[in-house]
Amino acid sequence: MKITSITLVPIQTHRRTGSISSHLILQMHTDEGVTGLGEISDLDCYRMYMPDVEAVRVGIEKIVLGRDPFAVQAMHNEMAKFLHNYFLSAPSYPPFTPASQIAAGIDMACFDIMGKALDTPVHTFLGGQVRDAIDICYPLFQVKAEADYERNLGYIRELLDQGISRFRYYVGVDFKKDEAFLAALRDRFGDRVMLKALDFQARHYWKDTLRAYDRLKQFGFEVIESPSWREDFAGMAELRRRVEADISEHCSSASQAMAMIRADAVDIFNVTVNSGGLLQVKKLVALAELAGIRTLIGTTQELSIGTAAHAHLGASMAEIATASDPVGPLLYAEDVVREKVQIRDNQIAVPTGPGLGVELDEEKLEALRAPLVEWDRAAHGAGYVSD
Ligand code: MG
């Protein structure tokens, strides 16, 4: 089988909050009539330097045309020549780059083709199925202004009504406001709301995180995520000795994985397909497993194609430490598939169809087609939520 052409479409979708997210949807066509789907998700974190869609299209063609989609490692070898360092080294936050996300889009499209060609789900190629659903939690951004308290509590109420009761909360713009918000959350919803994690986003020194932890631990959560500055793995190790909560950090490259293992920095690696694709992230999962570190599945928030890739990864993992983070199909108002990946009762159902198990809806894709960046509308993210 050979890849004969690709289609790459830029789209915009709305989050529940009203902010927009931009994505590239990749279709990889073959000489046997099988088409694979890939997604380069939620690119708004690169707002200042969005990739040029035409340049990405030509680049992907250079790598994939004429190649066998089953030869995924050979594809990664080829990508490594052009997408430097996308997996060997990486920023600690966000835990992906345009290069690693392009690699992930190509990689997941190859796996989708393989599954469709052999009429089997993608997890077959990742070690086979261990579980048919993945525990998840829903993200809440920091309270920064008075209006945010009721807005966040309103989201929680809506989600509880939909059967979603596990959350993670980004802290640290203003710890006093975080404390007041978490008190209001417990006051209003009690134990009906589960808090998986407080995410410090690598914005604080570990000693400041420890002081915040001592004030916030009364509200009950399992995990502290990204608890010290960037690659302060020694600081994470210090903090880890002093708290009961598990320490989790994004791990998106071989060098980070080895540094965190050597420093005894964390209990949990937070890994995502966006760091370079399914084949690459399985290597991080294997490294963690062999080093006695647990793993959860992270996200940038994907549409159903990318969420399906994460679900197949989760389906194939020996163990998952705690609830994982991809909830794009709940969080986005729109999608590009006929039927969204199902999320209910705090779980993603692993798609059962061949390949990734989702079907592209060409009309929905066309309706969402839009330039990658639009400065006049609100983006999301802790640093620049506007309303
Ligand atoms: Mg995080």
Side-chain angles (χ1 to χ4, degrees):
M1 186 185 282
K2 293 270 184 286
I3 298 163
T4 50
S5 65
I6 66 154
T7 312
L8 191 66
V9 179
I11 63 164
Q12 287 179 2
T13 58
H14 294 84
R15 289 187 171 212
R16 183 183 288 265
T17 54
S19 67
I20 57 160
S21 289
S22 303
H23 322 262
L24 291 171
I25 303 300
L26 172 65
Q27 295 170 72
M28 206 181 264
H29 312 287
T30 62
D31 58 356
E32 296 187 19
V34 180
T35 293
L37 300 175
E39 185 183 304
I40 300 164
S41 316
D42 192 18
L43 292 163
D44 285 88
C45 58
Y46 315 118
R47 196 170 242 220
M48 286 294 291
Y49 52 98
M50 279 284 195
D52 177 80
V53 180
E54 199 49 23
V56 175
R57 184 185 64 77
V58 172
I60 295 176
E61 283 179 354
K62 291 278 180 208
I63 287 166
V64 308
L65 293 191
R67 286 193 170 269
D68 176 359
F70 280 74
V72 184
Q73 182 61 60
M75 193 82 81
H76 279 284
N77 292 352
E78 189 65 18
M79 285 192 263
K81 295 178 191 168
F82 300 98
L83 299 166
H84 301 294
N85 289 339
Y86 73 87
F87 181 70
L88 297 177
S89 64
S92 55
Y93 196 85
F96 31 77
T97 61
S100 78
Q101 292 200 258
I102 292 166
I106 294 171
D107 167 290
M108 77 179 79
C110 288
F111 276 101
D112 192 33
I113 291 171
M114 289 158 60
K116 284 172 173 165
L118 298 181
D119 194 23
T120 190
V122 160
H123 55 65
T124 305
F125 309 110
L126 303 174
Q129 187 161 25
V130 175
R131 61 188 63 76
D132 59 13
I134 317 293
D135 290 339
I136 53 86
C137 62
Y138 195 92
L140 296 168
F141 283 113
Q142 290 102 331
V143 165
K144 300 190 194 75
E146 279 308 307
D148 294 341
Y149 289 96
E150 277 308 317
R151 194 175 59 164
N152 266 355
L153 293 167
Y155 293 148
I156 295 172
R157 159 62 55 209
E158 275 174 39
L159 287 154
L160 282 174
D161 291 345
Q162 293 175 38
I164 303 299
S165 57
R166 191 189 293 116
F167 296 84
R168 61 192 170 98
Y169 177 57
Y170 289 98
V171 294
V173 171
D174 180 336
F175 285 122
K176 282 208 176 82
K177 286 198 171 76
D178 294 329
E179 192 170 354
F181 170 69
L182 291 170
L185 178 153
R186 284 291 176 230
D187 192 43
R188 194 167 303 182
F189 302 111
D191 292 340
R192 275 180 299 157
V193 165
M194 293 178 272
L195 265 183
K196 181 195 76 173
L198 299 188
D199 191 335
F200 288 73
Q201 286 188 295
R203 291 169 163 224
H204 302 273
Y205 186 51
W206 71 269
K207 286 185 178 174
D208 297 317
T209 298
L210 181 59
R211 279 187 275 275
Y213 170 80
D214 283 337
R215 278 165 54 182
L216 301 174
K217 66 185 176 191
Q218 59 178 310
F219 301 114
F221 53 90
E222 299 169 50
V223 173
I224 300 174
E225 181 149 299
S226 300
S228 195
W229 290 329
R230 305 290 159 174
E231 296 186 342
D232 177 20
F233 300 133
M236 290 176 205
E238 285 294 328
L239 182 69
R240 190 177 169 217
R241 283 190 271 276
R242 289 164 164 81
V243 299
E244 273 176 44
D246 285 338
I247 302 294
S248 160
E249 181 55 293
H250 296 281
C251 178
S252 51
S253 73
S255 53
Q256 279 169 6
M258 291 313 299
M260 283 195 272
I261 289 168
R262 290 192 178 112
D264 234 353
V266 299
D267 299 283
I268 299 170
F269 280 178
N270 175 330
V271 299
T272 164
V273 177
N274 298 296
S275 297
L278 288 160
L279 191 69
Q280 303 293 48
V281 76
K282 278 295 279 194
K283 296 174 188 174
L284 294 181
V285 172
L287 204 49
E289 186 184 330
L290 299 180
I293 291 171
R294 294 181 295 148
T295 310
L296 68 80
I297 302 171
T299 186
T300 183
Q301 298 305 350
E302 299 77 26
L303 296 170
S304 280
I305 298 168
T307 305
H310 284 81
H312 287 284
L313 168 69
S316 72
M317 285 163 56
E319 271 187 81
I320 305 179
T322 181
S324 292
D325 299 338
V327 291
L330 274 183
L331 178 141
Y332 292 119
E334 305 94 354
D335 210 319
V336 296
V337 296
R338 295 233 159 92
E339 275 185 52
K340 283 185 177 193
V341 170
Q342 294 297 308
I343 302 180
R344 62 168 73 96
D345 300 331
N346 299 315
Q347 289 192 314
I348 300 176
V350 178
T352 55
L356 292 170
V358 291
E359 250 186 289
L360 189 68
D361 184 320
E362 303 267 2
E363 279 179 30
K364 288 181 188 167
L365 181 69
E366 275 313 311
L368 296 171
R369 185 190 282 267
L372 277 190
V373 70
E374 191 172 325
W375 279 95
D376 296 336
R377 294 162 76 185
H380 69 88
Y384 46 89
V385 165
S386 18
D387 54 28

